[in-house]
Amino acid sequence: MNRQALATVFVAVSMVLAGCGGFAGGPSSTATPETPSTTSEPSATPTTTPDSRVSVYGDLPVNATLVWERVEAMFGETYEPPTVTVLDGRPPGRVSSFPAQLGLGEGRISSDGGVNGRYVFRNDRVQVIPRNGSPSEIERILAHEYVHAIQYRTDFVDRARESGIWRVMTEGSAVYVEDVYTRAFLGFSTIERRCEGYRTGTPYERYAAQPYCFGGQYFAETLDSPTELLSPNTTLPTTTEQVLHPGTAEGPTNLSVVDGTPSGWYTPASMDRQGELFVRTVLGVELSETRASEAAEGWGNDRLLTVTGDMEGYVWVLRWDTVDDADEFETAFVDYLDARGNETADGWRVDDHRYRLTTVDDRTVAVVTGNGTFVDAVSVGGEGGNVTVSSES
């Protein structure tokens, strides 16, 4: 069933459940990359009616049961609903150290931002922070968090973990269903608004929005209806390269990074993959979206090594599909560093951090960043995707 026909069915369902149409669309908010800290939850008796299926602690300007049943109808199944709690607020979002060091913490959302929410698996509860949001804003966030509750009631969560790109899969699929919901009941596209936030937002907002925008676009392009999302026959992508280029089945290229220091700076568990989407978002801190996306294409694989102790820092090793792809990334990353800091004889300085760009072989590049002692000590060598990181001191 195509999107237009599906929306017609959902409108019909809404008439049965609510006896009325949808709300007008409002501006879209962007959830933060981290689980938001919140104030204590209300302890009052939930607001329910005899025929309500969802218990709500606090006041909501929307019918929580109606939204739940609309989302259920999209999946064609009936599930036990979660509890909904209305909270007052949260502190500004945070970004982990490595993305922050690359500029993705700039322009953090303040505590008085838009509507926010989360699903808490441990007590099966949706938390909504409405602030002064419109009913349509609150409704779409509630629908989004309900999708997360249903993800945990099926095997989708396990499949998303196995994909290796958990956040893009869980948030992107929830945005896709949210988009089908808002098109049917609220008269606007959630994906369009979230992606507009990615294109025009601060570096922090872009970093926060990336799994929502591009994950949502991926599922919208590859699925015909939400029912396909939970089907065991639906194959999930395993890299953000596959998300950005639907139909691409190519997996990560060979890249082996070993610790060549006698003391062992890091463990294999520290070698996380960042992916093409992260590369694109980092470059977009200083470069145009077109330039950033073109320079990130051709990504083959990468590994991030985190070193702590007296010599704190990171070694980010990137393997590219072709020599030209590697050259294009290096050129773009130099321009990115030039825009952020000052080039010296030993690399670039941005605030209190040092950066060095190392060509490992014709398709492999390493970004070394951290304090001066660390950057001076690091040596990265190898060929053919077999890389050794060692200390020169």
Side-chain angles (χ1 to χ4, degrees):
M1 183 180 295
N2 63 33
R3 173 73 62 81
Q4 185 175 2
L6 190 65
T8 302
V9 171
F10 293 153
V11 171
V13 170
S14 73
M15 296 299 289
V16 172
L17 297 175
C20 64
F23 298 106
S28 172
S29 64
T30 301
T32 61
E34 297 76 30
T35 299
S37 300
T38 59
T39 56
S40 59
E41 297 185 2
S43 58
T45 302
T47 56
T48 59
T49 60
D51 59 348
S52 292
R53 292 176 58 200
V54 178
S55 296
V56 180
Y57 291 82
D59 296 324
L60 278 180
V62 299
N63 186 324
T65 294
L66 170 62
V67 178
W68 173 257
E69 291 179 343
R70 285 173 169 175
V71 173
E72 275 185 326
M74 293 179 181
F75 289 104
E77 298 287 344
T78 300
Y79 304 93
E80 185 67 22
T83 300
V84 174
T85 302
V86 183
L87 303 177
D88 293 332
R90 62 174 176 81
R94 296 180 299 275
V95 174
S96 57
S97 180
F98 181 64
Q101 192 157 320
L102 294 178
L104 294 175
E106 298 172 5
R108 293 191 304 166
I109 299 171
S110 65
S111 59
D112 60 350
V115 180
N116 197 267
R118 70 169 180 172
Y119 171 69
V120 184
F121 168 70
R122 66 178 180 275
N123 58 8
D124 192 28
R125 179 162 297 193
V126 168
Q127 297 176 335
V128 179
I129 308 164
R131 298 193 184 87
N132 60 350
S134 68
S136 62
E137 290 179 84
I138 295 167
E139 184 173 351
R140 73 171 184 82
I141 290 296
L142 188 58
H144 180 101
E145 302 308 329
Y146 280 163
V147 177
H148 288 317
I150 292 175
Q151 288 171 343
Y152 274 92
R153 283 157 171 70
T154 67
D155 67 350
F156 184 85
V157 167
D158 291 334
R159 294 171 60 220
R161 287 196 180 101
E162 291 171 0
S163 75
I165 48 173
W166 152 267
R167 188 165 181 79
V168 178
M169 290 297 91
T170 54
E171 297 297 354
S173 58
V175 166
Y176 161 64
V177 180
E178 177 192 341
D179 184 72
V180 177
Y181 185 102
T182 59
R183 286 176 181 271
F185 300 112
L186 303 179
F188 64 89
S189 168
T190 283
I191 292 176
E192 289 177 2
R193 295 190 177 189
R194 288 188 181 270
C195 290
E196 178 65 18
Y198 176 88
R199 289 188 294 269
T200 63
T202 66
Y204 173 86
E205 290 168 338
R206 287 165 57 83
Y207 180 55
Q210 58 178 1
Y212 299 83
C213 167
F214 295 102
Q217 286 183 331
Y218 171 83
F219 284 106
E221 184 166 339
T222 58
L223 301 183
D224 289 325
S225 77
T227 57
E228 295 182 12
L229 183 65
L230 305 181
S231 170
N233 297 322
T234 299
T235 301
L236 299 182
T238 57
T239 66
T240 57
E241 178 184 42
Q242 295 171 2
V243 171
L244 291 170
H245 311 284
T248 299
E250 178 185 7
T253 190
N254 173 66
L255 177 61
S256 172
V257 182
V258 298
D259 189 342
T261 59
S263 59
W265 272 359
Y266 55 85
T267 64
S270 75
M271 291 190 283
D272 296 329
R273 178 180 297 134
Q274 304 303 297
E276 180 180 335
L277 179 53
F278 182 78
V279 177
R280 175 175 176 168
T281 306
V282 167
L283 292 174
V285 171
E286 300 293 350
L287 308 181
S288 70
E289 176 66 10
T290 300
R291 176 87 185 280
S293 63
E294 290 175 350
E297 288 184 14
W299 172 92
N301 203 347
D302 71 80
R303 285 290 185 268
L304 175 65
L305 284 56
T306 302
V307 179
T308 59
D310 294 337
M311 294 192 294
E312 295 185 351
Y314 303 92
V315 181
W316 187 22
V317 182
L318 302 103
R319 179 77 170 164
W320 296 88
D321 289 338
T322 69
V323 174
D324 288 343
D325 292 327
D327 290 342
E328 185 173 13
F329 169 77
E330 282 197 72
T331 301
F333 203 80
V334 166
D335 290 344
Y336 156 88
L337 288 174
D338 283 341
R340 290 190 61 74
N342 299 312
E343 185 176 8
T344 66
D346 51 6
W348 285 263
R349 295 179 184 272
V350 181
D351 298 326
D352 296 329
H353 302 294
R354 286 260 309 280
Y355 296 79
R356 193 177 82 233
L357 192 60
T358 299
T359 301
V360 181
D361 62 31
D362 60 359
R363 289 173 49 200
T364 310
V365 182
V367 177
V368 181
T369 179
N371 62 38
T373 303
F374 173 78
V375 174
D376 288 339
V378 171
S379 175
V380 187
E383 61 181 355
N386 297 308
V387 178
T388 300
V389 178
S390 58
S391 171
E392 295 178 341
S393 61

